[in-house]
Amino acid sequence: MTQEELLAQIYKKDGKAFTALYDMYSKSLYGVIYNLIKDREESEDVLQEVFVKIWKNIDSYNETKGRFFTWILNIARNTSIDRLRSKSHNNSLKNLSADNFVHILDHNTSVTNKIDAIGIKEFINKLKPKCIKLIDLLFFKGYTQQEASEELEIPLGTVKTQNRNCISELRNILQVQ
C-alpha cells in the first residue's frame, strides 16, 4: 500500500490503515520524542498522544503545504515541547537525582546522537556548522527562536533568517537524494 492509499484510508477513519501508519512511523517519531523528553515512559505517553492527535486532526493535513512525514514530525516535536513546558513535567524534574542531571547534560551536548535518532545525520552533516548548531537548538533541543537567539548571542531576526536558509539548504540536499 502506498502512502497515498494509506492516507485515503486514514481519511475514512479506517482502523487497519491507522495501525499500518503506526507501524510505519512510530519508531521515527519515538526517536524524536525521546531525544527531547529523555524519559522512556513519558516518551511512550507522548507518542500515544501524538497518534491520537494525528487521528483526530488528519483532516487538517494539506499535502500542498508539505510532506505528510513533516506534518506528523511537527506534531511529535510540538507535543514533546508542550510536555516539557508543562507544570507536571517541571515538577517531576524536581525529584531527579544529581546523577540524572549529569547524564542529561552529557547527552544534550551530542548533536550526532540526536540526528542519528531520526536517520538524517548524513544530510545534516552536509550543512554549514552554524546550521548544524541552529538546527540542534531549534529542532532537537526544543529551543524557541528567542531562546536560540540568546544562546547563540545573535539577534532574533538573524536566527529567523538563518533558520529559513538552513531549512531551505537541507530541503535542497534531501531533494538531490
Side-chain angles (χ1 to χ4, degrees), residues 4-164:
E4 290 78 22
E5 293 169 334
L6 183 64
L7 283 174
Q9 293 303 312
I10 291 171
Y11 281 123
K12 296 176 185 176
K13 301 295 184 182
D14 181 321
K16 289 181 182 178
F18 189 74
T19 300
L21 178 77
Y22 183 87
D23 291 342
M24 285 175 76
Y25 294 112
S26 62
K27 288 181 183 176
S28 296
L29 295 180
Y30 178 81
V32 170
I33 294 166
Y34 184 80
N35 277 313
L36 288 167
I37 302 288
K38 301 288 185 228
D39 178 83
R40 184 187 59 79
E41 209 170 287
E42 195 166 358
S43 295
E44 290 170 356
D45 288 345
V46 171
L47 181 65
Q48 181 177 358
E49 186 178 338
V50 166
F51 274 95
V52 169
K53 285 181 179 183
I54 293 168
W55 181 256
K56 286 183 176 179
N57 298 310
I58 190 65
D59 293 330
S60 69
Y61 169 64
N62 183 345
E63 58 191 43
T64 62
K65 292 185 177 181
R67 297 161 90 184
F68 180 71
F69 182 70
T70 304
W71 183 71
I72 64 173
L73 188 63
N74 281 327
I75 292 172
R77 182 180 163 274
N78 292 339
T79 303
S80 299
I81 291 169
D82 289 347
R83 179 67 62 96
L84 286 171
R85 292 181 177 160
S86 73
K87 216 176 224 183
S88 63
H89 179 78
N90 289 330
N91 287 339
S92 72
L93 288 179
K94 292 177 184 175
N95 298 326
L96 296 176
S97 71
D99 291 339
N100 196 25
F101 283 108
V102 171
H103 172 73
I104 289 170
L105 290 173
D106 287 345
H107 265 332
N108 279 346
T109 59
S110 175
V111 174
T112 305
N113 288 344
K114 289 171 182 40
I115 54 184
D116 275 344
I118 61 172
I120 61 170
K121 176 184 177 183
E122 66 180 281
F123 302 111
I124 292 194
N125 282 341
K126 292 179 182 178
L127 296 172
K128 298 173 189 156
K130 70 178 182 181
C131 287
I132 293 171
K133 179 67 176 167
L134 189 61
I135 287 173
D136 179 52
L137 291 175
L138 294 175
F139 294 94
F140 297 110
K141 290 184 179 169
Y143 281 42
T144 64
Q145 289 182 338
Q146 179 65 44
E147 291 167 338
S149 167
E150 293 165 7
E151 175 74 20
L152 298 172
E153 298 177 349
I154 59 176
L156 178 60
T158 304
V159 168
K160 291 179 178 187
T161 301
Q162 285 181 358
N163 183 33
R164 273 193 307 276

